[in-house]
Amino acid sequence: MSSIAPGPNRHPLVLASGRAHPELARNVAKELGIDLLGVSAYDFANSETYVRFSDSVRGMDLFLLQSHTMPVNQWIMEQLLMVDAAKRASAHSVTVVAPFFGYARQDKKSRGREPISARLIADMFKTAGADRLMSVDLHTAQIQGFFDGPVDHLWAMPILVDYVRTRVDVENVTVVSPDAGRIRVAEIWASKLGGGPLAFVHKTRDVTRPNQSVANRVVGDVEGRDCVLVDDLIDTGGTIAEAVKVIMAAGAKSVTVAATHGVLSGPAAQRLTECGAREVVVTDTLPIEDDRRFPNLKVLSIAPLLASAINEVHSDGSVTSLFDGNS
C-alpha cells in the first residue's frame, strides 16, 4: 500500500503517528487502506525529542495521531514538534488527532491561582501550526471552544452501546451516571438501550485531593436491575469501584461499566477486579499494557471510528452524520 490516499480534491491524505500508541495508528491506517507515513523520532541523552518525516508532506492533508498516554508531557511535546515540522515542510493542512486529549480534566478553575490547563494545551497546538483538532469524548464539551479552529468531537458511544446491548437484558436495564454532572450522557445511553430508567450516584469530592471522591448513595431505581454505569474515563478506578459497590448494595442484579478511555493508573486493575462489576468495557484510545489488564476487562477498537472521521474531514463530508446528527 501507499502512504498517500487520493481524495476528491488535489490534496492527498497522509497519516503519521508519534510513538505513544503505534498499534492504534497502524489499525487506523489499515482502515484507511494506506501505510503510515514514515517518521523518525527519538530522544537525546538530556531527554529532548527529535522528529522528522521520512517523506515529503508538501501539499498534503496531514493527520497526526498521538494519544496522550503516560508520560503525558513527553507525548504532547512530540506531537507539537510534529505539527511544527509539518508546517515548515509545507503541508497543506495539519489535523491533530488526539483520541485522548491530555489535561482535559483541567478545563476550569476550581480554586484561585490555578491554570486552565486544557486551554493552554489547545493554544499550544494552534501556535505550533495545527489547523484542526480531532478527539474522542472530551471530558467536557466546552473544551471545543478552547481551540481557535475546527474541532471534531467524536463519540465512542455507538461502539460501546452496540457491545453492551449484547451483554445485558435491555428490558431490565437502568443506566447509571457516576455523578449528577453526566446525567445528559446517561439519558442518551438510556434512549439507545430501549428507554429504561436513569439513576445517578451522589458523590462528594475534595478538590485539594486528586483522584479521590466518596460515593454516598445511588439516586434512582436499581433494585433487581442490570445496571450500566457510564463515564468518559477510568483513571485510578476509585470513583468507579466505589460507585459499583454502592449500586450493588442498593440491590442491583449486576453492574456493567462502560467508559471511553481506559487510563487505568496505579491500583485501577485491582480495584476494578474486586469491586463486583460483571464487566468493564473501554476502547483502545489509550494503550493498555498486559500488566494493567484484568479478567473482566473488554477493550473495543476505536480505529474504525477514527478512520471514518478522517475520511469525512478529508472529503469535506459531515463528521456529525456519523453520530445521527448529534455530535
Side-chain angles (χ1 to χ4, degrees), residues 251-263:
K253 179 181 178 182
S254 69
V255 180
T256 298
V257 177
T260 301
H261 309 294
V263 181

Side-chain angles (χ1 to χ4, degrees), residues 78-142:
E78 183 174 271
Q79 195 173 26
L80 286 166
L81 293 172
M82 293 172 69
V83 172
D84 184 77
K87 295 302 289 188
R88 295 180 188 280
S90 301
H92 173 257
S93 69
V94 178
T95 298
V96 166
V97 183
F100 179 77
F101 188 78
Y103 289 87
R105 281 175 284 181
Q106 298 184 48
D107 62 318
K108 61 183 179 297
K109 291 177 64 174
S110 298
R111 297 188 297 162
R113 300 184 298 279
E114 288 183 341
I116 302 179
S117 305
R119 171 60 190 264
L120 175 61
I121 299 301
D123 286 345
M124 289 167 64
F125 279 116
K126 186 64 178 181
T127 300
D131 299 292
R132 191 180 197 103
L133 180 65
M134 181 181 294
S135 190
V136 182
D137 285 334
L138 292 164
H139 188 61
T140 55
Q142 71 190 45

Side-chain angles (χ1 to χ4, degrees), residues 24-106:
L24 176 59
R26 288 192 293 268
N27 290 338
V28 173
K30 184 177 179 180
E31 292 284 339
L32 291 169
I34 60 176
D35 292 320
L36 286 170
L37 183 71
V39 178
S40 175
Y42 56 81
D43 298 321
F44 289 104
N46 69 344
S47 80
E48 289 182 3
T49 299
Y50 172 88
V51 297
R52 179 180 182 271
F53 298 109
S54 303
D55 299 298
S56 173
V57 296
R58 184 180 296 273
M60 307 290 186
D61 285 337
L62 178 60
F63 292 79
L64 295 176
L65 193 154
Q66 182 91 302
S67 206
H68 303 158
T69 187
M70 298 176 286
V72 174
N73 295 341
Q74 178 180 2
W75 302 134
I76 289 176
M77 190 67 203
E78 183 174 271
Q79 195 173 26
L80 286 166
L81 293 172
M82 293 172 69
V83 172
D84 184 77
K87 295 302 289 188
R88 295 180 188 280
S90 301
H92 173 257
S93 69
V94 178
T95 298
V96 166
V97 183
F100 179 77
F101 188 78
Y103 289 87
R105 281 175 284 181
Q106 298 184 48

Side-chain angles (χ1 to χ4, degrees), residues 135-137 153-159 188 302 305 323 326-327:
S135 190
V136 182
D137 285 334
H153 187 199
L154 313 183
W155 289 3
M157 189 183 297
I159 296 170
I188 300 173
I302 201 73
L305 175 64
F323 308 98
N326 290 319
S327 177

